[in-house]
Amino acid sequence: MDFEDTAEESAFREEARTWLEANAPTEKELSGMDYMARGKFWQKRKADAGWACIRWPQEFGGRGANPIQQVILAQEEAKVESPETGMFGIGQGMAAPTMMSYASSEDQQRYLPRLASGEDVWCQLFSEPAGGSDLAALRTKAERDGDDWIVNGQKIWTSGAHYSDYGILVVRTDPNVPKHKGLSYFFLDMKSPGIEIKPIKQISGESNFNEVYFTDVRIPDSQRLGEVGQGWKVALTTLMNERASIGAGGGGTRFSTVKRLAQSVNINGKPAIEDNHVRAKLANWYVQESGLKFTSYRTLSALSRGDIPGPENSIGKLVGAVKSQDMASFAIDLLEQQGIVRDSVQDEAFAALFQDTYMSIPGLRIAGGTDEIMANIIAERVLGLPQEPRMDKGIPFTEVPTGSG
Amino acid sequence: MNFEFGEDQNLIRDQARGFLNDNCPPEVVRRVLDGDELYAEDLWKKIAEMGWTATVIPEEYGGLGLSYLELVVIAEELGRACAPVPFSSSVYLATEALLAAGSQQQKETWLPKLAAGECIGTLAYAEGAGQTCAAGLAVSVTDGKISGSKVVVADAQIADMMIVVASSAGGDGASMYLVAMDQSGVSCEAVKTIDPSRNHANVTFDGATAQLLGNEGEGWAGLERILDRAAVMIAWEQLGGSDACLEMAINYAMGRYAFGRSIASYQAIKHKLADMYVKNTLARSNAYYGAWALNSDADELPLAAATARVGSTQAFYYASKENIQTHGGMGFTWEFDCQFYYRRSKVLAVVIGSEGQWQEKLIQATDQTNAA
């Protein structure tokens, strides 16, 4: 039992580090570029040298690397100063695996290399106002018209819709069969006429998501992935890749920062860190943080061995999000009245870290599967417990009871 | 990254589980819980024959010279079986004390017997309610004769030797002594505890012969080191118990029907069991960390041990109480086995200091280690 690389891993790490250190863009190279341009610049450079989407087959822009090599590359990339490339995550992490399984080989050749190189950005159009945790209850409809489909309806929580070139979309093509059976899956050009994108303002004040409205949007049937009515099955391919890509979050709100805060503020005239209640809470969070870290090490060990990881890693977001929320809340309490100030200029020590976490973390407990859905997934897929009985089973979608929400 | 057990250890785990399924079914735990036996002597003998008590003892002292990775795998299975034997006292505490601080002669005298399971050892430091510390120790040794009382010592009545932490005028205020139990001037009085499947007794020394173990005035630091090591091994026992509770709760919930369906299909139960799984998984990963630190004698052992200890203590408490809850009224009956783990979880939670003490050690350790 150790934390060491195998000889092969170590050689790969060295190769990756050498390339990254020599090629990470300098501030001079990036000057004048916005967030998106910087990301695209860096992604293109990686792709040109064979360091983008390395697990993909060579023909699509990858190098057929194994999962542990991908992890090693990410670890090494995190050590060098380089632009954010998170805007490509949905396309590369979710759309691409689906395209690899279901798109025609011409479309794979046409779209996948441009996804790898960051030339195209993709978004995911799944959630709807009426279909959140119950995603398959979505109502956006597509009707056949010659070689096209005509789409009407509304999607929500679409990250990056406003800067995306393409999107993956699940729609209802037959409302007269049970809900999972009436869905079909497409990809589409986000510049298609009839698409309207409206940002959603979150409680944090930021806008990371959009509503996307479809009015008579035409999609060629050739952009359908999977058979008509098989959209749910195709969507599961995408979703299997989603939960893996949503991290534990919380950013800088962690044991070390909250401990540092507790050393800098007082309780009863003494540093808060000397208070037993504070120490016990910090210890519990340390245990959780450590547990998550070493759980991921166990997952990496399985990858390193060439095995499929066990279900351990499914707990990351479930544990991490609540932990960050509780830590941020506690940090604000430690600051007393001053704690409610959310001003990164005034707060020299922490730049409003805890307040920002407090206001943004509720979203993480919902995104990509709510805490409750994650608990159901653990209960059903890991522990083998039965599903709750469902009122919508076996009846046409049009007859499923709906509420007002 | 190779943060996992090897084939050898996995094999030992399988063997240990099979052995305990055959030799320590719930009836054996119940026999000790209900009866007058102080421990399952027949099981202890078989465990010794398997060589488990000899696992990490060097071959020169009659041991097998294996690593702590093998030992924690066995600890997990003993915890899963809730085995009514003095393994933790004899192996994680007494043996560790001798290995860490014993003189050549003390090791030669005691380790072969401990390895063979012919002799049972234990360790005593608490003297009353509340946290014991070096400053208040009343047990003392003068001219090699020990006097005073220790309370609620695990396996005291079946022990052949005891490591006793006594006061010292110098150093850190304490010294460790080795006391043979089979002599006049040592008396034990059984105490009734919340877990009658394990023996506990108050011990009074009245001029019994005691040998210094390690250096005078370094007893408290020595004890802390032993407890750090024991914490990892006990964490694995706690983890075995936690997983046993999860499995019991799942099996019962699947088969129990209410309002026309399995109670395992209700989210109230599913989420409870998912929580149990999450806590057990985090505890397991921290116990891996502890095992790695123990086995490699890492500088960060105090931090790893405290992390493993706090995680496993919390996981076992949660799993054992919510296992009863999942069983409903039947879980509260003497007839059902849920009680074994509820009792044992609390015994293991306090045996080397409560959760609060280990939370405190953890924070102190983060001051020393540059913990992110």
Side-chain angles (χ1 to χ4, degrees), chain A residues 1-4 9 259 279 284 286-287 290-291 294-295 298 301 305 319 372 376 380 386 388-389, chain B residues 1-4 261 265 267 270-271 277-278 284-286 289 292 303 307 314 359-360 363 366-367:
Chain A
M1 187 184 284
D2 58 54
F3 304 109
E4 307 304 320
E9 287 162 7
K259 186 182 173 192
R279 294 172 81 80
N284 288 344
Y286 184 89
V287 169
S290 167
F294 290 110
T295 298
R298 290 168 60 202
S301 300
R305 204 186 333 115
V319 175
E372 291 74 17
N376 282 351
E380 289 166 18
E388 293 250 354
Chain B
M1 182 73 66
N2 177 34
F3 190 54
E4 56 193 354
R261 58 181 165 121
S265 70
Q267 289 195 8
K270 288 162 78 170
H271 289 188
Y277 170 82
V278 167
R284 178 171 295 275
S285 298
N286 283 322
Y289 176 41
W292 166 81
L303 178 61
T307 304
Q314 291 177 347
Q359 286 169 324
E360 175 56 32
I363 295 297
T366 63
D367 292 337

Side-chain angles (χ1 to χ4, degrees), chain A residues 59-268:
Chain A
E59 53 174 325
F60 302 143
R63 56 159 76 186
N66 61 37
I68 194 73
Q69 289 175 326
Q70 186 179 31
V71 171
I72 290 170
L73 175 61
Q75 287 171 341
E76 293 305 316
E77 189 172 340
K79 292 177 196 166
V80 299
E81 208 47 53
S82 62
E84 265 287 319
T85 50
M87 63 287 264
F88 308 118
I90 289 169
Q92 293 172 350
M94 292 186 240
T98 315
M99 294 288 280
M100 283 185 212
S101 298
Y102 289 98
S104 68
S105 68
E106 297 85 66
D107 283 339
Q108 288 175 346
Q109 294 294 348
R110 181 170 164 198
Y111 293 102
L112 290 171
R114 292 176 60 85
L115 259 168
S117 64
E119 285 160 276
D120 293 339
V121 177
W122 287 52
C123 63
Q124 182 216 48
L125 300 145
F126 283 18
S127 295
E128 293 192 9
S133 292
D134 183 8
L135 179 61
L138 59 87
R139 294 177 193 170
T140 294
K141 63 178 181 183
E143 289 166 312
R144 189 75 191 244
D145 181 40
D147 284 342
D148 291 342
W149 293 80
I150 298 178
V151 180
N152 281 284
Q154 185 204 339
K155 294 287 174 179
I156 195 169
W157 308 122
T158 313
S159 313
H162 52 299
Y163 54 65
S164 287
D165 303 288
Y166 297 92
I168 43 177
L169 174 74
V170 187
V171 289
R172 187 159 305 281
T173 45
D174 185 353
N176 297 311
V177 293
K179 72 176 181 184
H180 290 107
K181 296 195 169 130
L183 303 175
S184 300
Y185 193 120
F186 297 88
F187 68 91
L188 82 163
D189 186 337
M190 286 302 286
K191 305 290 180 294
S192 306
I195 294 179
E196 190 189 357
I197 298 165
K198 293 183 182 170
I200 299 169
K201 187 170 181 183
Q202 301 147 211
I203 64 169
S204 60
E206 300 163 297
S207 292
N208 301 117
F209 307 100
N210 301 278
E211 294 178 296
V212 180
Y213 292 86
F214 291 81
T215 309
D216 295 332
V217 175
R218 280 189 176 268
I219 304 178
D221 185 55
S222 60
Q223 292 178 199
R224 176 165 43 76
L225 298 175
E227 299 302 315
V228 174
Q230 293 288 306
W232 183 248
K233 191 179 150 205
V234 183
L236 288 179
T237 307
T238 313
L239 292 173
M240 277 194 315
N241 289 288
E242 175 174 31
R243 294 195 174 95
S245 73
I246 293 187
T253 298
R254 52 176 181 259
F255 174 82
S256 58
T257 47
V258 179
K259 186 182 173 192
R260 189 149 56 81
L261 173 68
Q263 287 165 332
S264 71
V265 296
N266 282 356
I267 292 177
N268 284 329

Side-chain angles (χ1 to χ4, degrees), chain B residues 27-372:
Chain B
E27 298 79 61
V28 171
V29 183
R30 190 166 283 281
R31 207 183 74 206
V32 178
L33 182 75
D34 278 340
D36 297 328
E37 291 166 89
L38 299 178
Y39 71 118
E41 194 176 351
D42 49 346
L43 173 62
W44 177 252
K45 286 194 168 133
K46 286 183 198 159
I47 282 175
E49 281 166 25
M50 294 289 285
W52 293 359
T53 43
T55 308
V56 296
I57 296 176
E59 286 168 84
E60 55 180 309
Y61 302 115
L64 297 175
L66 295 172
S67 82
Y68 286 91
L69 297 183
E70 281 80 30
L71 187 54
V72 297
V73 159
I74 292 167
E76 181 183 359
E77 295 309 316
L78 287 165
R80 177 187 295 277
C82 215
V85 291
F87 199 82
S88 53
S89 301
S90 199
V91 178
Y92 317 151
L93 293 168
T95 299
E96 284 300 315
L98 277 160
L99 287 171
S103 66
Q104 187 62 25
Q105 198 209 338
Q106 285 166 333
K107 286 181 184 172
E108 279 169 9
T109 307
W110 293 102
L111 284 177
K113 291 183 200 160
L114 286 167
E118 291 163 17
C119 155
I120 292 168
T122 188
L123 181 146
Y125 69 98
E127 298 190 350
Q131 186 174 348
T132 305
C133 51
L137 289 173
V139 170
S140 63
V141 177
T142 310
D143 297 333
K145 303 290 179 195
I146 188 165
S147 301
S149 295
K150 293 287 181 186
V151 299
V152 202
V153 183
D155 305 304
Q157 286 177 290
I158 53 178
D160 302 282
M161 64 89 98
M162 187 178 288
I163 310 297
V164 184
V165 182
S167 71
S168 166
D172 63 17
S175 300
M176 285 194 286
Y177 290 89
L178 196 160
V179 180
M181 296 297 282
D182 169 23
Q183 60 170 311
S184 61
V186 179
S187 59
C188 293
E189 189 190 354
V191 289
K192 193 176 156 191
T193 73
I194 58 173
D195 183 9
S197 70
R198 292 286 304 277
N199 171 246
H200 288 86
N202 293 338
V203 185
T204 300
F205 303 105
D206 183 12
T209 302
Q211 267 181 20
L212 185 66
L213 184 85
N215 294 329
E216 174 74 37
E218 293 176 12
W220 199 258
L223 173 69
E224 296 275 8
R225 277 195 298 276
I226 293 158
L227 296 186
D228 281 347
R229 302 174 73 81
V232 175
M233 297 180 259
I234 290 172
W236 280 93
E237 275 205 14
Q238 291 170 309
L239 194 58
S242 307
D243 269 356
C245 290
L246 176 58
E247 284 159 30
M248 279 175 84
I250 290 172
N251 287 336
Y252 187 81
M254 294 289 279
R256 173 78 183 179
Y257 276 61
F259 307 103
R261 58 181 165 121
S262 161
I263 64 166
S265 70
Y266 290 97
Q267 289 195 8
I269 297 293
K270 288 162 78 170
H271 289 188
K272 183 195 294 299
L273 299 182
D275 265 359
M276 222 188 261
Y277 170 82
V278 167
K279 287 181 165 65
N280 289 4
T281 300
L282 293 176
R284 178 171 295 275
S285 298
N286 283 322
Y288 269 60
Y289 176 41
W292 166 81
L294 175 63
N295 195 50
S296 58
D297 237 336
D299 289 342
E300 64 202 87
L301 177 63
L303 178 61
T307 304
R309 168 81 176 147
V310 172
S312 285
T313 298
Q314 291 177 347
F316 198 12
Y317 170 60
Y318 184 80
S320 70
K321 75 188 169 89
E322 297 308 324
N323 180 35
I324 292 180
Q325 188 69 16
T326 304
H327 279 71
M330 293 314 291
F332 187 56
T333 64
W334 195 273
E335 184 191 342
F336 271 54
D337 298 339
C338 306
Q339 54 167 328
F340 298 171
Y341 296 96
Y342 189 63
R343 296 174 187 281
R344 187 63 60 83
S345 77
K346 209 27 107 178
V347 167
L348 294 182
V350 296
V351 62
I352 53 167
S354 69
E355 183 184 319
Q357 289 191 40
W358 287 92
Q359 286 169 324
E360 175 56 32
K361 288 186 197 209
L362 189 160
I363 295 297
Q364 284 177 19
T366 63
D367 292 337
Q368 258 107 64
T369 316
N370 200 8

Side-chain angles (χ1 to χ4, degrees), chain A residues 247-324:
Chain A
T253 298
R254 52 176 181 259
F255 174 82
S256 58
T257 47
V258 179
K259 186 182 173 192
R260 189 149 56 81
L261 173 68
Q263 287 165 332
S264 71
V265 296
N266 282 356
I267 292 177
N268 284 329
K270 287 189 292 190
I273 190 66
E274 291 174 22
D275 182 279
N276 282 336
H277 168 70
V278 172
R279 294 172 81 80
K281 274 185 171 283
L282 280 172
N284 288 344
W285 285 318
Y286 184 89
V287 169
Q288 283 192 326
E289 230 165 82
S290 167
L292 289 176
K293 173 174 141 188
F294 290 110
T295 298
S296 74
Y297 283 12
R298 290 168 60 202
T299 301
L300 293 183
S301 300
L303 290 176
S304 174
R305 204 186 333 115
D307 280 359
I308 297 166
E312 304 86 27
N313 232 20
S314 60
I315 68 177
K317 186 179 94 81
L318 180 58
V319 175
V322 177
K323 178 177 80 69
S324 298

